[in-house]
Structure formats: C-alpha cells, structure tokens
Amino acid sequence: QVQLVESGGGLVQAGGSLRLSCAASGLTFSLYGMGWFRQTPGKEREVVATINWSGGSTAYADSVKGRFTISRDNRKNMVYLQMNSLKPEDTAVYYCAARQRGTQEYRHWGQGTQVTVSS
C-alpha cells in the first residue's frame, strides 16, 4: 500500500522560509516521478513543482520560480520542497503526489500539510 506523508508545514511571516518533506513507502520510489501541489478553499488544486524519477528534471509553476526548489533523495524515499521568500499568496494546503514512470496521472496522494504565510 502506497503511503505519502507530508511534514514541515506551519505558520511563517512573509519573506520567511519553510522546508516541506514527503516520506514515501509501499512503492519502488525510483520508479516514480513526484510532485508538490497546493490548494486553497474554493480553488482548484494547482501544481507547484515536479521532479522526475532521477531528480534530473524539474519544473515549477511561474508563481514560485526562483523561490521554491524541489529535490529528492532516492536512498531515503524522500522528496522535499524548499520554500524561500514566502508570500501570503503561498498560503495553502500542500500535497505530495506520486506518478509512475511512463504515466501522466498522479495516482497517489498524501494527506496534505498546511502552510500559512502572514503579512
């Protein structure tokens, strides 16, 4: 059974930093691309950053480019999201998700972690 467990969310002032972590189990981690998504009430979930199975390819939403960095450690089955220069509009529930290599759909999701940025 695949499990993704996020941690590291919290309350931070604008301009501050947070590092989110996602621990994966129940899957061969190196066979999965990973992504971070976020959602605020009344809005659709949006992709924040993605990373391929090896970590050699990453992509970011325009709104976070230059501020957020996604990374992974395949030895530890972990994926991270380093968030710097946080803005109030970054406030959301952040989700970790896994996509099997060769597929487009993220089938496995974590429960989410709340990030709140105060102005």
Side-chain angles (χ1 to χ4, degrees), residues 5-107:
V5 180
E6 302 96 335
S7 61
L11 174 64
V12 64
Q13 288 189 332
S17 298
L18 282 175
R19 188 196 196 204
L20 304 184
S21 300
C22 173
S25 61
L27 75 171
T28 304
F29 189 64
S30 61
L31 295 182
Y32 285 78
M34 301 297 295
W36 284 99
F37 295 75
R38 66 186 182 187
Q39 189 170 24
T40 54
K43 292 188 177 181
E44 289 192 5
R45 188 153 47 190
E46 63 173 353
V47 60
V48 175
T50 61
I51 188 166
N52 76 332
W53 65 275
S54 69
S57 177
T58 58
Y60 297 90
D62 287 344
S63 58
V64 307
K65 278 181 182 176
R67 300 188 297 122
F68 291 11
T69 303
I70 188 171
S71 61
R72 66 188 292 160
D73 186 338
N74 283 355
R75 297 167 300 173
K76 297 181 179 179
N77 287 12
M78 297 289 295
V79 63
Y80 307 98
L81 185 69
Q82 178 66 44
M83 305 186 295
N84 299 329
S85 302
L86 283 161
K87 304 175 181 180
E89 51 263 44
D90 294 318
T91 295
V93 177
Y94 283 72
Y95 297 89
C96 170
R99 173 181 61 85
Q100 193 166 8
R101 285 173 65 181
T103 68
Q104 296 299 317
E105 183 181 358
Y106 286 86
R107 291 183 176 269

